[in-house]
Amino acid sequence: MVYIPFDIILFEILIRLHGRSIDQYKCVCRQWNEGLSSWQFMSLHVKYVEEYLVRYYTCLLLTFIFNVFSD
């Protein structure tokens, strides 16, 4: 079995989850609850979500512009 350090799970995998899912994963164990409730995780999660939304809406806007001008 491969061991994955908790820091990798927390800051590389769980950071990408939706907020409701994060709340559910807090119930897994005490370590996950503390990690997911930490200010470091919360600030990185907010930053990740903001960057994701900027990329998403930029692509959406460019697709719209391309479709308008390609007609």
Side-chain angles (χ1 to χ4, degrees):
M1 180 186 277
V2 177
Y3 174 75
I4 302 174
F6 180 66
D7 291 345
I8 300 296
I9 294 171
L10 187 66
F11 294 111
E12 297 296 330
I13 298 171
L14 296 178
I15 202 164
R16 302 170 194 274
L17 294 177
H18 189 271
R20 291 182 186 155
S21 299
I22 291 172
D23 286 340
Q24 291 175 347
Y25 283 108
K26 286 181 180 179
C27 300
V28 170
C29 66
R30 185 175 294 155
Q31 182 184 20
W32 283 41
N33 185 10
E34 291 171 359
L36 294 171
S37 299
S38 69
W39 67 269
Q40 294 99 341
F41 178 81
M42 291 296 183
S43 64
L44 288 173
H45 178 69
V46 167
K47 182 179 175 186
Y48 176 80
V49 170
E50 287 174 347
E51 290 172 0
Y52 171 80
L53 290 175
V54 166
R55 287 190 310 264
Y56 174 77
Y57 285 112
T58 301
C59 290
L60 193 64
L61 180 64
L62 291 174
T63 303
F64 175 76
I65 292 170
F66 178 75
N67 288 336
V68 167
F69 289 113
S70 67
D71 289 337

